[in-house]
Amino acid sequence: MSDLTETATGTGAPAGTRTGVPGPRADTDSPARFRRSARAAGSGVGMATAEFAGWLAERAAAHPFRVRPIAFDDLEGWSFDRATGNLAHRSGRFFTVRGLRVRTGEGAATREWQQPIIDQPEVGILGILAKEFDGVLHFLMQAKMEPGNPGLVQLSPTVQATRSNFTQAHGGAAVKYLTYFTGGRRSRVLADVLQSEHGSWFLRKANRNVIVETTEDVPPDPDFCWLTLGQLGELLLRDNVVNMDARTVLACAPHLRADPEALTSDTELLSWVTTEKARHQVRAEPVPLARTEGWVRTASDIHRPDGRFFRVVAVRAEAANREVPGWTQPLFEPVGTGVTAFLAGRFDGVPHLLAHARTEGGFLETAELGPTVQCVPDNYRGDAEHPAPRFLDAVLGADPADLRYAALHAEEGGRFRNAVSRHLIVRVDAVAAGLATPPAGYRWVTPGQLNWLARHSRYVNVQARSLLAALNTGAVRL
């Protein structure tokens, strides 16, 4: 029997106390309120879901947006350091592109590589403001332009800002609604957790994922709208509408029910995750970008000669409704469309997801729980030296009838250009597929357990949280 409904007895801390290890789930009113909001699909206080596409197109047309590739020499305020070759802003703020040497495993299992990495040590805020209308929680979402987004404008959190942005290091306008997340206004915290960013592209980067509720009257700015959780779930069924920053915050909402018949108890699950973090060896150390092996710099990009993985490019962006109307910056651009997928099975009628304890060079800790499959398939085609990840064929070859969720979603458009992945949840008969006992590094967990872990730091990676958002909002029901 699972211990998902334990009280705080034996934890050494009362329910709700912040500790480094997830404690038992407290029984409060918040999960029920999120579930009620998830059932409120179709319309909300602001607009019907059917009206959303027109509203988003109207907001995109209301401001001139333009992004075009440029040469590195045309970057303004950015330059390559003469000694290291690192690409940084003259202010010392925002982020730096440097090199990273990574070594994982031991003995015959050792892997080693070098790559460019984004070093952004400051912690940003990804915040969604909530308010109850007619007894239903609504969430204030923003139509936000990011230079790397497909289509440029996507639905983002109320506040999506790096520390450099919200402290106005750019010299531009203040971030709207920021005071709700910095203590300047009365609000009730519904979720607040420090989460990792992409461990393959960021060096130990984290953002604060936070949902706060207000009772104040909050007239939405023209680029903002109130939506229920159910409406957000409907929008997550559409390609490239809800951005990554919104998805990761929604994944942290205390929503999904406890699963008393989970295959693994909470205590056993924590022990397994801790064991995975401890058994993996990951050594990551910065190196000068100019001396990063296997990468070539040209006038307009930094790439691998074999064309795999990603390249570093530069763009000029114009957006009249941003804090500054125009700027230039580097972006990471992957070489193809990715796949982010969970295999979903049932055990005694209880839905489970097959999670993978993934190691990535940029994680602060060695491993976090990721989806069953997380990769860009083009990186492995025709390459005998680098075999494709486990379960990729099962996901790509799945019968359409077994697809419980399928949508294209982009990664964070402020740092990545056209970084799009197919997000999939694929039904599988675990026993027939020989997966009742999964291979090492994989574990069946319930959606409720994953939601519980996502409310604590560095347990669930950003790709798994992206899929979890679809479950939290009711976009898919297992």
Side-chain angles (χ1 to χ4, degrees):
M1 179 69 68
S2 171
D3 57 1
L4 304 186
T5 56
E6 286 182 340
T7 65
T9 303
T11 66
T17 298
R18 293 188 184 183
T19 63
V21 176
R25 286 168 271 189
D27 186 16
T28 70
D29 65 337
S30 289
R33 296 171 71 215
F34 277 94
R35 288 193 287 271
R36 188 181 311 126
S37 184
R39 292 192 295 269
S43 64
V45 69
M47 71 176 79
T49 310
E51 301 169 334
F52 177 83
W55 177 81
L56 188 66
E58 174 190 315
R59 300 322 306 160
H63 312 283
F65 296 124
R66 186 184 180 197
V67 176
R68 60 184 178 88
I70 59 174
F72 288 130
D73 285 348
D74 293 328
L75 285 168
E76 297 169 0
W78 296 83
S79 62
F80 292 98
D81 183 85
R82 291 184 178 180
T84 64
N86 294 346
L87 180 56
H89 194 264
R90 65 188 172 202
S91 67
R93 305 291 297 274
F94 304 107
F95 62 93
T96 299
V97 180
R98 63 175 74 249
L100 189 73
R101 179 188 294 115
V102 183
R103 182 176 180 178
T104 66
E106 293 181 327
T110 298
R111 293 181 57 237
E112 188 168 347
W113 71 91
Q114 297 186 26
Q115 65 168 90
I117 197 89
I118 298 172
D119 186 358
Q120 186 176 342
E122 59 187 35
V123 175
I125 294 177
L126 306 179
I128 296 179
L129 184 63
K131 180 176 169 64
E132 197 170 277
F133 296 93
D134 299 325
V136 177
L137 277 177
H138 287 62
F139 304 90
L140 188 62
M141 308 301 291
Q142 176 184 181
K144 187 178 180 69
M145 178 272 194
E146 292 286 356
N149 282 344
L152 295 183
V153 180
Q154 295 189 9
L155 200 62
S156 82
T158 317
V159 169
Q160 175 186 321
T162 65
R163 178 173 291 276
S164 292
N165 283 341
F166 66 72
T167 58
Q168 297 174 266
H170 46 52
V175 175
K176 294 180 176 70
Y177 304 107
L178 178 66
T179 52
Y180 286 100
F181 302 93
T182 56
R185 290 180 179 269
R186 289 175 60 86
S187 58
R188 176 192 180 195
V189 175
L190 302 181
D192 196 351
V193 58
L194 203 62
Q195 293 287 17
S196 64
E197 294 290 296
H198 297 75
S200 295
W201 292 334
F202 277 115
L203 180 61
R204 304 183 184 104
K205 176 73 171 68
N207 277 324
R208 183 182 171 200
N209 288 230
V210 56
I211 304 174
V212 299
E213 181 183 8
T214 184
T215 57
E216 296 181 351
D217 182 30
V218 186
D221 179 274
D223 290 324
F224 292 72
C225 66
W226 290 104
L227 298 168
T228 68
L229 200 60
Q231 288 182 286
L232 288 167
E234 292 174 311
L235 297 178
L236 279 166
L237 295 170
R238 305 180 186 182
D239 293 344
N240 292 319
V241 170
V242 181
N243 81 355
M244 186 220 79
D245 300 283
R247 299 193 305 269
T248 180
V249 178
L250 294 171
C252 301
H255 171 210
L256 298 178
R257 295 180 184 275
D259 304 293
E261 301 301 329
L263 279 176
T264 304
S265 73
D266 284 3
T267 301
E268 293 168 333
L269 178 58
L270 280 178
S271 177
W272 177 75
V273 175
T274 302
T275 300
E276 289 296 309
K277 288 176 180 283
R279 80 176 179 88
H280 287 289
Q281 297 291 321
V282 180
R283 302 171 184 86
E285 56 179 352
V287 297
L289 183 60
R291 294 195 287 278
T292 302
E293 296 176 3
W295 294 80
V296 176
R297 182 177 127 194
T298 69
S300 58
D301 75 359
I302 300 171
H303 67 275
R304 285 174 54 108
D306 61 9
R308 297 171 67 218
F309 299 112
F310 64 91
R311 61 193 190 113
V312 183
V313 299
V315 300
R316 181 180 301 278
E318 299 172 8
N321 66 337
R322 288 289 298 264
E323 292 82 15
V324 292
W327 69 95
T328 63
Q329 69 168 94
L331 291 171
F332 278 31
E333 184 174 44
V335 300
T337 300
V339 172
T340 298
F342 270 124
L343 291 180
R346 281 183 172 268
F347 296 88
D348 294 329
V350 178
H352 286 68
L353 302 168
L354 187 59
H356 179 206
R358 286 184 55 87
T359 59
E360 297 182 17
F363 283 157
L364 180 62
E365 298 179 2
T366 57
E368 295 186 12
L369 290 190
T372 317
V373 176
Q374 174 189 320
C375 72
V376 175
D378 286 353
N379 289 329
Y380 302 94
R381 293 193 174 109
D383 188 348
E385 184 180 351
H386 301 89
R390 194 191 295 260
F391 302 117
L392 177 60
D393 288 344
V395 166
L396 295 182
D399 188 320
D402 290 328
L403 294 181
R404 303 305 305 273
Y405 180 71
L408 291 171
H409 294 306
E411 305 303 336
E412 209 277 312
R415 297 293 177 266
F416 312 125
R417 185 168 189 252
N418 296 325
V420 176
S421 291
R422 293 179 62 202
H423 284 59
L424 305 169
I425 297 179
V426 180
R427 180 177 57 192
V428 65
D429 184 331
V431 175
L435 292 176
T437 301
Y442 294 81
R443 180 63 60 102
W444 289 105
V445 301
T446 68
Q449 287 179 310
L450 201 65
N451 181 220
W452 168 60
L453 287 175
R455 301 202 299 276
H456 300 82
S457 297
R458 302 185 182 93
Y459 279 87
V460 181
N461 80 356
V462 68
Q463 287 85 357
R465 297 197 305 271
S466 191
L467 283 167
L468 181 58
L471 293 161
N472 261 5
T473 59
V476 58
R477 301 181 190 276
L478 299 179

